[in-house]
Amino acid sequence: MNTEALLARLRDELDEGGLRGSFLVRDLGSGRELGIEPDLEFATASLVKVPLVAVTEDRIRRGELDGAQQVEVEPGRAESAGPTGLARFRHPARVSVADLMYLASAISDSAAADELFALTSPAEVTRTVRDWGITGISVRHSLSELSDTPVERFAAADVHLAHSLAIGAVTEGQGHPVRQLDVSRASSGSARAFADLLTALWTPSKIDPDVSARVRQLMGENLLRQRLAPDFASDSAKWSSKTGTLVNLRHEIGVVEHSDGQAFAVAALTESRVPAAIQPEAEILMARVARSLRDRLRARG
């Protein structure tokens, strides 16, 4: 099967599975890449934690922040099963900036990320990322805003109704009446933009090498491995990544490093037309598409 036929088949599989996506896989050695709608923008949800952690680490390097600084964290007010980490704490805690970075990366702790945003604003994160020469990623708000969507307004048994509303309201240009899903108001980006960020973190770039190394380490400690990891992690391949999930959006970005020295940046951003909160089939499908793109590039050597 030639590349055009492969891409057509993968697009058909996504459509049949109720998914639309922005995919890009890039060989970090040669720069060759293969994608499906790689410039299509989506609201990015927790993917913003990668640039947030990178900019925070850079500020620590420059002496503007102290990684050992203790942050007073008030007990959370989580009432649903969704939030993890600090939002579920019952008592006040003191957590260092460095440990907040770990929590935001490893378990996608949004409360920890918001403590970091209190030190470095979304606007400053965006500005620094642009200074690194990476365009296409916009960080516009804290993570707490992601807990105020139609999903939170329905009982668990009716959450499919929130998904139906979200699916039916999206516009052709990725606008949306729900501000967290509107690419002009929410934090946003495309597969290409996040592949550019991964490339800058894994290869020489304007980002300080020590900063890149720390972010790579944190992404390698990601504990959320239900999405792309089953198709990329193995005894001979290391998968370092970050997921993002919001209503009908499911994303993951990461780098797979093979024991033979090849490494590939992978970015998969998707939206589902299926009105259901739990969709293991969508996770399997997006992973299969991303791996098929990687396999084609890898076969080319």
Side-chain angles (χ1 to χ4, degrees), residues 57-119:
E57 183 65 25
D58 192 60
R59 294 191 66 202
I60 292 172
R61 176 190 66 84
R62 289 186 273 126
E64 297 176 4
L65 293 174
D66 181 356
Q69 175 186 337
Q70 300 292 301
V71 176
E72 299 285 344
V73 180
E74 292 299 315
R77 299 289 185 270
E79 297 179 356
S80 72
T84 60
L86 299 177
R88 306 200 71 81
F89 278 26
R90 299 285 183 158
H91 306 284
R94 299 176 75 238
V95 186
S96 72
V97 170
D99 289 336
L100 290 170
M101 293 165 62
Y102 167 75
L103 291 172
S105 300
I107 63 171
S108 201
D109 185 338
S110 292
D114 277 346
E115 295 294 343
L116 296 176
F117 271 132
L119 299 171

Side-chain angles (χ1 to χ4, degrees), residues 49-262:
K49 292 167 185 171
V50 177
L52 169 63
V53 165
V55 173
T56 301
E57 183 65 25
D58 192 60
R59 294 191 66 202
I60 292 172
R61 176 190 66 84
R62 289 186 273 126
E64 297 176 4
L65 293 174
D66 181 356
Q69 175 186 337
Q70 300 292 301
V71 176
E72 299 285 344
V73 180
E74 292 299 315
R77 299 289 185 270
E79 297 179 356
S80 72
T84 60
L86 299 177
R88 306 200 71 81
F89 278 26
R90 299 285 183 158
H91 306 284
R94 299 176 75 238
V95 186
S96 72
V97 170
D99 289 336
L100 290 170
M101 293 165 62
Y102 167 75
L103 291 172
S105 300
I107 63 171
S108 201
D109 185 338
S110 292
D114 277 346
E115 295 294 343
L116 296 176
F117 271 132
L119 299 171
T120 305
S121 70
E124 185 171 355
V125 173
T126 299
R127 182 169 57 252
T128 303
V129 170
R130 299 280 168 84
D131 288 344
W132 288 336
I134 302 160
T135 59
I137 294 175
S138 296
V139 183
R140 296 188 172 102
H141 53 75
S142 67
L143 276 298
S144 62
E145 294 194 29
L146 302 185
S147 62
D148 183 26
T149 72
V151 169
E152 286 74 35
R153 291 170 171 76
F154 285 88
D158 297 322
V159 72
H160 64 282
L161 298 175
H163 284 259
S164 295
L165 291 171
I167 292 164
V170 66
T171 69
E172 188 65 28
Q174 298 300 93
H176 207 286
V178 178
R179 68 182 187 282
Q180 296 92 337
L181 299 175
D182 187 328
V183 297
S184 67
R185 294 183 289 169
S187 295
S188 63
S190 64
R192 186 181 304 281
F194 278 96
D196 289 344
L197 177 59
L198 295 171
T199 301
L201 290 168
W202 258 262
T203 63
S205 70
K206 291 183 178 180
I207 304 177
D208 182 85
D210 291 337
V211 171
S212 294
R214 178 58 177 151
V215 178
R216 292 196 301 269
Q217 178 186 14
L218 288 169
M219 292 181 68
E221 295 169 347
N222 178 20
L223 297 177
L224 303 181
R225 304 179 70 79
Q226 81 282 6
R227 195 158 288 167
L228 300 190
D231 276 76
F232 286 98
S234 71
D235 287 349
S236 60
K238 179 181 179 181
W239 176 244
S240 306
S241 68
K242 181 71 195 73
T243 58
T245 309
L246 181 67
V247 193
N248 64 323
L249 304 182
R250 289 170 180 79
H251 310 322
E252 187 161 1
I253 61 170
V255 170
V256 56
E257 299 171 89
H258 296 279
S259 58
D260 64 4
Q262 278 194 298

Side-chain angles (χ1 to χ4, degrees), residues 1-9 34 296 300:
M1 183 184 297
N2 63 34
T3 298
E4 288 304 316
L6 172 66
L7 293 176
R9 191 198 79 195
L34 198 57
R296 177 53 57 97
R300 293 177 178 177

